[in-house]
Amino acid sequence: MSDAVSTVWEEALDYLRRTRPNDCRPWFDAIVPVSLEAGVLGALVEDDVHRDFLREHAREMFKDAASSVTGHMTTVSFLAVDDLKDETPVVAATARRSPGEGGLTLTPDYTFDHFIVGPGNRLAHAAAVAVADNPGGAYNPIFIHGDVGLGKTHLLQATCLRIMQRFDGIRLFYTSCEGFVSRFIEDVQAGRMAEFRHTFRDVDVLAIDDIHFLAKRDRTQEEFFHTFNALYQLQKQIILSSDAPPDEIPDLEARLVSRFQWGLVAGMDTPGFDPRVEIIKEKGRLRGLSVPDDVACVIAERVSSNIRELEGVLTKIQLQAALAGKEPDVELAREAVGDFGPAASRPTMDAIIRYVTDHYGVRVSELQSKKRSRSVTVPRQICMYLARTYTDHSLGEIGGFFGGRDHTTVMHAIRTIEEKRGANADIRGSVEKFERQLGGRQPTWAAGRRAESRSTRNSMG
């Protein structure tokens, strides 16, 4: 490696740290530049996981950085050690490999070392570690469930990463349920079912995220049923995640529910205050950002719903700190959480659902199901009413949150709660309580929406 290549690489990293601080990782410093020829900057990374992640998610930003510092179009080629045996940087620059020939790319950040364990996820974490150490022999299948943004994907990927690290040559396929469904539809139409079954059955480990999306897909459920059986009979490890436990996934065949319960079903709950503080600090370390205890506490006090919102606050703080040329402090934290905390001017759908489900003692999966009992219908309608009042979501988007219902169902819910709010003291009291939790006053855009709702109602007779 020449000094010129090293200089270009260091300047490119500096460029990224200035312009893309949220996307930079401390492990970028371990990448070694190896060549610069024919407009291709070759860079050697630690292993296949880092290489695949960079090719999939960071190729364009490194290309932009390299081009900016060299003054002409420069592509960055990421290589692992094995690639040096049979690839030149120019060939590798156009390669787009991912694990399992079409599976999702694993993220180097999502290891067990970076997963914060607390009371709400201790069982799921312990089970995932056991599976990673003994795939096919500990818990099979392992089914991890919990609300959005609690770390299910992190735990699935951490399990896959450790398996790949410990068992050389193991055949592992990691994908989303959406990926499974899309691949099934494409291969059925193209007459490639033998290829489809080879992809999903000739593996040692199959990990599928968000398996609840199998709901209402009869043919795909049939295929997954046979895929599950084929793997299970050969003692191949099956790893699944879902927003709800198996028996609460709407329109899931009973035989699949039964099989998902054969192994271990482990839930994940919202992290408490102390785990949230540690999560914030760990997420900061992954970005190369030192988050002081007082800053982490300010964020943890105001943001309690899920980890994604915590990351959103960190993103804003890191950008503000970079612009101000200073380290994160309490003042920046308080300004950043203004957009995320319970007193925010625009509450999130997650916040609305959390308040309503806590009050009525129902599960999110029940609100998304076809259940029509009053104990479920009333909180579902209140959620729709509050979502239309307090968020910018369209009627169709709101219906999508609750089991794919159409806009007319949402309109009916809004009218029903408007009417009952005036006539039913219990519902009026509950709605007013939620409004206080969501900001204490009605947003300025709500009146316009009420008028719009009345206008629509009148125009439809």
Side-chain angles (χ1 to χ4, degrees):
M1 176 183 65
S2 68
D3 291 340
V5 176
S6 179
T7 299
V8 168
W9 181 255
E10 289 301 325
E11 290 179 356
L13 286 181
D14 288 340
Y15 177 88
L16 288 176
R17 293 186 187 107
R18 292 194 311 271
T19 61
R20 305 281 293 268
N22 291 309
D23 296 318
C24 290
R25 295 292 182 267
W27 57 265
F28 285 1
D29 292 333
I31 301 173
V32 179
V34 293
S35 62
L36 178 57
E37 56 182 277
V40 178
L41 176 60
L44 187 64
V45 299
E46 182 178 347
D47 52 36
D48 292 358
V49 170
H50 288 79
R51 177 203 62 197
D52 292 333
F53 175 81
L54 289 166
R55 287 181 177 179
E56 184 71 21
H57 299 289
R59 185 191 296 267
E60 290 303 316
M61 78 177 195
F62 272 95
K63 176 182 175 181
D64 176 58
S67 299
S68 296
V69 301
T70 60
H72 52 79
M73 186 64 69
T74 303
T75 301
V76 180
S77 166
F78 297 106
L79 304 159
V81 173
D82 289 344
D83 296 327
L84 297 179
K85 301 174 183 177
D86 53 12
E87 281 193 50
T88 66
V90 174
V91 172
T94 58
R96 285 190 176 274
R97 296 181 179 177
S98 59
E101 299 178 355
L104 293 176
T105 304
L106 295 169
T107 305
D109 291 348
Y110 287 167
T111 65
F112 285 123
D113 290 340
H114 299 309
F115 187 86
I116 303 301
V117 182
N121 60 27
R122 197 177 305 281
L123 173 62
H125 172 265
V129 170
V131 166
D133 291 340
N134 186 18
Y139 305 107
N140 198 24
I142 178 173
F143 189 104
I144 298 171
H145 67 87
D147 287 340
V148 173
L150 297 185
K152 301 187 298 296
T153 296
H154 186 151
L155 212 48
L156 254 66
Q157 291 205 27
T159 307
C160 292
L161 286 169
R162 180 170 288 190
I163 289 173
M164 291 176 64
Q165 181 184 37
R166 295 196 171 190
F167 301 92
D168 188 39
I170 198 165
R171 297 168 299 172
L172 182 148
F173 194 92
Y174 166 65
T175 189
S176 64
C177 185
E178 183 180 1
F180 181 89
V181 172
S182 298
R183 179 72 177 270
F184 174 69
I185 293 172
E186 290 172 5
D187 287 353
V188 166
Q189 293 173 344
R192 297 192 302 257
M193 285 309 295
E195 180 181 332
F196 176 88
R197 287 166 183 155
H198 168 71
T199 298
F200 290 95
R201 299 186 191 183
D202 293 343
V203 295
D204 300 306
V205 179
L206 177 64
I208 299 186
D209 217 346
D210 294 331
I211 197 67
H212 54 273
F213 283 115
L214 277 180
K216 299 182 181 179
R217 300 179 181 275
D218 294 342
R219 290 189 64 190
T220 312
Q221 288 191 41
E222 174 79 17
E223 182 61 31
F224 188 77
F225 172 78
H226 294 299
T227 296
F228 183 103
N229 285 345
L231 293 171
Y232 187 84
Q233 289 167 6
L234 293 172
Q235 295 184 311
K236 305 302 184 182
Q237 182 65 53
I238 303 166
I239 308 171
L240 306 171
S241 81
S242 169
D243 282 357
D247 57 352
E248 293 183 15
I249 299 175
D251 302 304
L252 187 67
E253 292 181 5
R255 58 182 179 172
L256 279 178
V257 172
S258 174
R259 279 160 176 76
F260 291 169
Q261 294 174 328
W262 278 357
L264 178 71
V265 177
M268 297 179 68
D269 294 327
T270 303
F273 177 79
D274 289 339
R276 290 200 302 275
V277 169
E278 293 306 313
I279 289 169
I280 293 163
K281 294 169 71 173
E282 183 60 34
K283 294 292 184 182
R285 282 190 287 269
L286 283 170
R287 300 161 176 249
L289 181 69
S290 177
V291 183
D293 288 343
D294 54 355
V295 171
C297 287
V298 168
I299 300 172
E301 285 172 356
R302 292 291 302 277
V303 183
S304 60
S305 58
N306 63 58
I307 297 168
R308 292 180 188 174
E309 289 195 0
L310 295 176
E311 290 185 291
V313 173
L314 273 181
T315 296
K316 184 171 182 180
I317 289 175
Q318 189 166 15
L319 287 172
Q320 289 176 331
L323 289 172
K326 64 177 184 179
E327 295 298 316
D329 56 25
V330 171
E331 181 182 358
L332 281 179
R334 286 174 177 162
E335 182 180 346
V337 295
D339 290 342
F340 294 87
S345 59
R346 295 191 178 211
T348 64
M349 181 68 80
D350 283 345
I352 290 170
I353 293 174
R354 185 173 71 255
Y355 291 138
V356 175
T357 53
D358 286 350
H359 177 82
Y360 283 102
V362 297
R363 293 179 176 271
V364 176
S365 58
E366 291 180 295
L367 299 184
Q368 296 171 333
S369 71
K370 292 182 179 180
K371 290 183 179 179
R372 295 182 179 274
S373 61
R374 188 177 186 279
S375 62
V376 174
T377 300
V378 170
R380 181 191 294 138
Q381 290 177 334
I382 290 177
C383 280
M384 292 179 176
Y385 171 83
L386 293 172
R388 186 57 172 161
T389 302
Y390 282 89
T391 76
D392 283 332
H393 292 297
S394 67
L395 295 173
E397 289 171 339
I398 294 169
F401 277 94
F402 298 96
R405 288 170 166 81
D406 62 28
H407 72 283
T408 58
T409 302
V410 180
M411 289 171 60
H412 173 73
I414 294 168
R415 295 171 190 162
T416 299
I417 297 303
E418 284 182 339
E419 293 169 359
K420 289 183 176 180
R421 184 174 184 174
N424 187 308
D426 289 339
I427 288 181
R428 180 170 61 253
S430 296
V431 171
E432 289 176 353
K433 171 188 173 182
F434 299 138
E435 289 179 337
R436 288 193 298 272
Q437 291 175 315
L438 293 167
R441 63 182 181 84
Q442 179 174 298
T444 56
W445 62 88
R449 286 192 171 162
R450 290 268 176 86
E452 173 191 340
S453 177
R454 287 194 296 271
S455 175
T456 304
R457 179 179 59 206
N458 293 336
S459 67
M460 296 181 69

